[in-house]
Short mmCIF file of all heavy atoms in Angstrom, two decimals:
data_model
loop_
_atom_site.label_atom_id
_atom_site.label_comp_id
_atom_site.label_asym_id
_atom_site.label_seq_id
_atom_site.Cartn_x
_atom_site.Cartn_y
_atom_site.Cartn_z
N GLU B 56 8.08 -2.85 13.98
CA GLU B 56 8.25 -3.27 12.60
C GLU B 56 9.22 -4.53 12.59
O GLU B 56 9.03 -5.41 11.82
CB GLU B 56 8.86 -2.21 11.74
CG GLU B 56 7.74 -1.04 11.48
CD GLU B 56 6.49 -1.46 10.98
OE1 GLU B 56 6.46 -2.52 10.06
OE2 GLU B 56 5.44 -0.97 11.32
N VAL B 57 10.25 -4.57 13.48
CA VAL B 57 11.12 -5.72 13.58
C VAL B 57 10.36 -6.85 13.99
O VAL B 57 10.43 -7.99 13.48
CB VAL B 57 12.30 -5.43 14.41
CG1 VAL B 57 13.07 -6.72 14.73
CG2 VAL B 57 13.24 -4.41 13.86
N ALA B 58 9.50 -6.70 15.11
CA ALA B 58 8.72 -7.88 15.43
C ALA B 58 7.69 -8.25 14.43
O ALA B 58 7.57 -9.55 14.33
CB ALA B 58 7.94 -7.43 16.79
N ARG B 59 7.18 -7.45 13.77
CA ARG B 59 6.21 -7.72 12.54
C ARG B 59 6.95 -8.56 11.42
O ARG B 59 6.45 -9.47 11.02
CB ARG B 59 5.54 -6.56 12.05
CG ARG B 59 4.50 -5.92 12.90
CD ARG B 59 3.89 -4.72 12.31
NE ARG B 59 2.80 -4.19 13.11
CZ ARG B 59 2.11 -3.09 12.90
NH1 ARG B 59 2.52 -2.27 11.96
NH2 ARG B 59 1.15 -2.70 13.73
N PHE B 60 8.15 -8.09 11.16
CA PHE B 60 8.91 -8.81 10.24
C PHE B 60 9.35 -10.21 10.65
O PHE B 60 9.11 -11.19 9.91
CB PHE B 60 10.27 -7.98 9.98
CG PHE B 60 11.19 -8.66 9.04
CD1 PHE B 60 10.88 -8.67 7.58
CD2 PHE B 60 12.38 -9.28 9.42
CE1 PHE B 60 11.75 -9.31 6.70
CE2 PHE B 60 13.15 -10.03 8.60
CZ PHE B 60 12.88 -9.95 7.21
N ILE B 61 9.81 -10.31 11.95
CA ILE B 61 10.19 -11.65 12.39
C ILE B 61 9.01 -12.62 12.57
O ILE B 61 9.08 -13.78 12.15
CB ILE B 61 10.84 -11.48 13.82
CG1 ILE B 61 12.24 -10.76 13.67
CG2 ILE B 61 11.04 -12.79 14.55
CD1 ILE B 61 12.88 -10.37 14.96
N LYS B 62 7.92 -12.09 12.94
CA LYS B 62 6.61 -12.91 13.06
C LYS B 62 5.83 -13.08 11.83
O LYS B 62 4.83 -13.78 11.79
CB LYS B 62 5.83 -12.38 14.18
CG LYS B 62 6.37 -12.40 15.56
CD LYS B 62 6.39 -13.84 16.05
CE LYS B 62 6.57 -13.79 17.61
NZ LYS B 62 6.37 -15.11 18.16
N SER B 63 6.18 -12.35 10.76
CA SER B 63 5.40 -12.30 9.56
C SER B 63 3.98 -11.96 9.82
O SER B 63 3.09 -12.64 9.29
CB SER B 63 5.61 -13.57 8.75
OG SER B 63 6.96 -13.73 8.43
N ASP B 64 3.65 -11.02 10.63
CA ASP B 64 2.35 -10.63 10.95
C ASP B 64 2.18 -8.99 11.07
O ASP B 64 2.59 -8.46 12.12
CB ASP B 64 1.99 -11.29 12.37
CG ASP B 64 0.54 -10.97 12.73
OD1 ASP B 64 -0.21 -10.17 12.02
OD2 ASP B 64 0.19 -11.52 13.79
N ASN B 65 1.67 -8.50 10.14
CA ASN B 65 1.50 -6.99 10.02
C ASN B 65 0.44 -6.54 11.01
O ASN B 65 0.32 -5.31 11.09
CB ASN B 65 1.17 -6.52 8.67
CG ASN B 65 2.44 -6.63 7.66
OD1 ASN B 65 3.62 -6.50 8.20
ND2 ASN B 65 2.23 -6.77 6.43
N ARG B 66 -0.34 -7.38 11.59
CA ARG B 66 -1.34 -6.95 12.54
C ARG B 66 -0.78 -6.92 14.01
O ARG B 66 -1.45 -6.46 14.85
CB ARG B 66 -2.60 -7.83 12.45
CG ARG B 66 -3.28 -7.67 11.15
CD ARG B 66 -4.34 -8.74 10.99
NE ARG B 66 -3.71 -9.97 10.91
CZ ARG B 66 -4.15 -11.17 11.59
NH1 ARG B 66 -5.21 -11.13 12.26
NH2 ARG B 66 -3.49 -12.31 11.49
N LEU B 67 0.32 -7.48 14.23
CA LEU B 67 0.90 -7.59 15.49
C LEU B 67 1.13 -6.19 16.20
O LEU B 67 1.40 -5.25 15.54
CB LEU B 67 2.48 -8.20 15.42
CG LEU B 67 3.18 -8.53 16.66
CD1 LEU B 67 2.62 -9.74 17.35
CD2 LEU B 67 4.59 -8.58 16.45
N GLN B 68 0.84 -6.11 17.47
CA GLN B 68 0.92 -4.97 18.28
C GLN B 68 1.88 -5.20 19.47
O GLN B 68 1.85 -6.40 19.90
CB GLN B 68 -0.47 -4.51 18.87
CG GLN B 68 -1.40 -3.99 17.70
CD GLN B 68 -1.03 -2.77 17.21
OE1 GLN B 68 -0.87 -1.77 17.77
NE2 GLN B 68 -0.91 -2.78 15.80
N LEU B 69 2.61 -4.22 19.85
CA LEU B 69 3.48 -4.39 21.07
C LEU B 69 2.60 -4.46 22.37
O LEU B 69 1.82 -3.54 22.44
CB LEU B 69 4.52 -3.27 21.03
CG LEU B 69 5.45 -3.17 19.94
CD1 LEU B 69 6.47 -2.05 20.26
CD2 LEU B 69 6.29 -4.47 19.88
N PRO B 70 2.97 -5.29 23.23
CA PRO B 70 2.06 -5.25 24.51
C PRO B 70 2.46 -4.07 25.36
O PRO B 70 3.65 -3.62 25.32
CB PRO B 70 2.70 -6.50 25.28
CG PRO B 70 3.30 -7.36 24.22
CD PRO B 70 3.84 -6.46 23.09
N PRO B 71 1.56 -3.49 25.92
CA PRO B 71 1.84 -2.21 26.71
C PRO B 71 2.97 -2.42 27.77
O PRO B 71 3.70 -1.49 27.95
CB PRO B 71 0.43 -2.07 27.41
CG PRO B 71 -0.57 -2.59 26.52
CD PRO B 71 0.10 -3.80 25.99
N MET B 72 2.99 -3.56 28.40
CA MET B 72 4.05 -3.80 29.42
C MET B 72 5.40 -3.74 28.78
O MET B 72 6.46 -3.28 29.31
CB MET B 72 3.78 -5.05 30.12
CG MET B 72 4.75 -5.14 31.44
SD MET B 72 4.33 -3.76 32.41
CE MET B 72 4.88 -4.34 34.05
#
Side-chain angles (χ1 to χ4, degrees):
E56 293 304 323
V57 168
R59 286 177 175 171
F60 177 77
I61 290 171
K62 295 283 194 174
S63 299
D64 182 359
N65 285 333
R66 294 171 294 135
L67 184 79
Q68 293 291 307
L69 295 179
M72 194 56 157

